[in-house]
Amino acid sequence: MDAGKPRSISAARPSGRGAPGKRPQEKQGASRKAGNVERKQAILRAALSVFAERGFESARLDDVAARAGVAKGTLYLYFDDKEKLFEEVVQSEVSPILDRIGALASARDMPIEKILEALFQVFEKEVLGTERKHLLRLIIAEGPRFPHIAELYFRNVIGRAMPLISRMAAQAVVRGELQSDALVRFPQLVGAPLLFAVVWDSMFARLQPLDVAGFFAAHRETLVGKMRRTRP
Amino acid sequence: MDAGKPRSISAARPSGRGAPGKRPQEKQGASRKAGNVERKQAILRAALSVFAERGFESARLDDVAARAGVAKGTLYLYFDDKEKLFEEVVQSEVSPILDRIGALASARDMPIEKILEALFQVFEKEVLGTERKHLLRLIIAEGPRFPHIAELYFRNVIGRAMPLISRMAAQAVVRGELQSDALVRFPQLVGAPLLFAVVWDSMFARLQPLDVAGFFAAHRETLVGKMRRTRP
DNA sequence: CTTATATGACTGACCAGTCAGTCATTGCAC
DNA sequence: GTGCAATGACTGACTGGTCAGTCATATAAG
């Protein structure tokens, strides 16, 4: 071994970290601090894909680093540990959903049928149509062992969406659009098919595809009552 | 933490160093003789509780052995490896559900409302009320990484229940008990709240309990249409 | 004694997290 | 503008602990 340099005795530094042009080259002002946002985002994206694919335990941080195009040590410049990284992945994906929920609130006076249609459509496009669907499955899978994450998700998404739906349903009942107050008492009725669609998609789609749009439509139909008009 | 790719299925016989003789009597695909059914069941029970609690990856076979009251080596007299043990746990819990599904088939001529009521009740008692609920969550969590298990579950449970429900719904439509054929086209509508209840229970019950019986009743109410208001 | 079953210390792969070392960039002196 | 020291983001070989799976040995059964 070539001793000489400190660093243990195996300073064999092979390729001497060849990869030269790797520096981010931040824009002017350069926040060279530990805060290269772009790189952090790259890590988060890589982490989502690895976690989604393998689950929290089997996800290897070496893979995350590789996919993000950084060295493993770099991960620790941005995140305290694996668990924290996972939390931030969840957080970062939950935020956009929050916005969508907010948008819903403003649609309060539309007919309930339209609202549900819009809601399901957003879900189909923004969750089922993206990697976010894996995140949802991930939360289900790991939630029980990460109460903190379950709580985060509940407080930010579920806990906000439920009362909102309940309130809109109540208005619909008053307006005579809904015959039953089932949806008022159990806004979860809206969430069930969403969850189901995600699970089916990730597990059984391969064995038997589900016509998600049709499924959602059928569900809306039962919710709204669709009183089979026989002729006005 | 094995990695799924390297270890596990891959051969990679670690130790052994040119083992003296081949394995004892390797019974290909199954454990050796190992005929004590009671002990095997004890191991399966222990494994279910450990897997349910930690997930497949984090589950430690030392824990399974301890809970089953045997030594770790004993596990390998009954199961080839961790993955096989997991599969058998699933298999052993799926079987009883199969019986229930069979029983449903004979109730084909009851009013759809009664059938659904019975179905939901069975689920509440036999799944939500037992450790089996954890299994369901486990399947969701690990299914994507164990296609074999997802398929097993699909073929034995989902794939059988769906057509059955569809057929019963069709009869109900003919009898005029259902105004819409939504349930015929999407028997999954019945499964959605079941799945949802399991997930809610394991993740959010602590934060906001769900009145499962009420939830199921509300869902039945929307499905059946409860024709209160009528057409013009 | 021979065979079936059980045990648990042990082996080696595996991986989260660490840290000594590197080097592009920046800032200061001339 | 040129030279050079300081900075700190980045790297990846390494460590320490964990755990699936093994096997020499022990015990029970026949």
Side-chain angles (χ1 to χ4, degrees), chain B residues 126-199:
Chain B
E126 297 293 324
V127 180
L128 277 173
T130 68
E131 269 207 309
R132 236 170 256 148
K133 72 180 164 193
H134 298 304
L135 183 83
L136 191 49
R137 214 202 63 243
L138 206 57
I139 292 175
I140 296 170
E142 312 290 354
R145 271 187 313 129
F146 294 95
H148 182 254
I149 284 184
E151 203 173 325
L152 175 90
Y153 193 72
F154 182 80
R155 270 217 296 268
N156 286 316
V157 181
I158 311 292
R160 292 189 195 200
M162 292 298 109
L164 204 60
I165 291 169
S166 191
R167 236 174 296 131
M168 294 197 279
Q171 288 188 324
V173 168
V174 171
R175 289 199 299 261
E177 294 168 27
L178 289 173
Q179 299 105 312
S180 152
D181 67 341
L183 196 53
V184 179
R185 288 178 298 123
F186 292 102
Q188 287 94 343
L189 288 170
V190 171
L194 302 184
L195 181 66
F196 190 89
V198 168
V199 172

Side-chain angles (χ1 to χ4, degrees), chain B:
Chain B
M1 295 99 198
D2 118 338
K5 180 132 132 252
R7 222 199 320 228
S8 251
I9 295 181
S10 87
R13 214 124 273 271
S15 59
R17 271 320 60 103
K22 279 303 190 166
R23 252 126 302 135
Q25 44 215 117
E26 192 76 16
K27 210 28 180 171
Q28 145 83 264
S31 35
R32 225 177 302 171
K33 243 70 217 190
N36 191 333
V37 177
E38 220 168 275
R39 180 155 290 189
K40 183 168 181 175
Q41 228 96 44
I43 294 173
L44 284 172
R45 248 178 291 126
L48 171 59
S49 89
V50 175
F51 281 136
E53 204 162 278
R54 323 271 314 244
F56 178 79
E57 285 295 341
S58 325
R60 282 178 292 130
L61 291 185
D62 283 301
D63 285 349
V64 174
R67 269 183 223 194
V70 302
K72 185 153 72 151
T74 306
L75 302 182
Y76 289 86
L77 296 176
Y78 293 86
F79 306 94
D80 286 344
D81 54 25
K82 192 181 184 184
E83 206 170 315
K84 204 70 194 268
L85 171 60
F86 182 55
E87 274 177 31
E88 290 215 37
V89 166
V90 173
Q91 183 70 270
S92 73
E93 292 297 315
V94 156
S95 303
I97 302 179
L98 266 179
D99 299 340
R100 291 300 193 156
I101 292 178
L104 261 185
S106 63
R108 250 199 244 185
D109 293 320
M110 285 169 69
I112 188 76
E113 195 156 4
K114 290 289 173 210
I115 294 177
L116 291 176
E117 211 177 304
L119 177 69
F120 282 35
Q121 222 155 43
V122 165
F123 186 85
E124 213 181 323
K125 190 167 150 234
E126 297 293 324
V127 180
L128 277 173
T130 68
E131 269 207 309
R132 236 170 256 148
K133 72 180 164 193
H134 298 304
L135 183 83
L136 191 49
R137 214 202 63 243
L138 206 57
I139 292 175
I140 296 170
E142 312 290 354
R145 271 187 313 129
F146 294 95
H148 182 254
I149 284 184
E151 203 173 325
L152 175 90
Y153 193 72
F154 182 80
R155 270 217 296 268
N156 286 316
V157 181
I158 311 292
R160 292 189 195 200
M162 292 298 109
L164 204 60
I165 291 169
S166 191
R167 236 174 296 131
M168 294 197 279
Q171 288 188 324
V173 168
V174 171
R175 289 199 299 261
E177 294 168 27
L178 289 173
Q179 299 105 312
S180 152
D181 67 341
L183 196 53
V184 179
R185 288 178 298 123
F186 292 102
Q188 287 94 343
L189 288 170
V190 171
L194 302 184
L195 181 66
F196 190 89
V198 168
V199 172
W200 188 285
D201 180 83
S202 66
M203 292 192 56
F204 308 133
R206 166 179 58 94
L207 303 166
Q208 183 181 316
L210 175 67
D211 167 13
V212 175
F215 176 60
F216 285 170
H219 186 256
R220 280 199 307 277
E221 191 181 310
T222 67
L223 276 182
V224 175
K226 216 42 170 239
M227 33 193 144
R228 44 283 100 163
R229 226 117 141 239
T230 39
R231 62 229 130 253

Side-chain angles (χ1 to χ4, degrees), chain A residues 127-141:
Chain A
V127 180
L128 277 174
T130 68
E131 270 208 309
R132 237 171 256 147
K133 71 181 163 191
H134 300 304
L135 183 86
L136 191 50
R137 214 201 65 242
L138 206 57
I139 292 176
I140 297 170

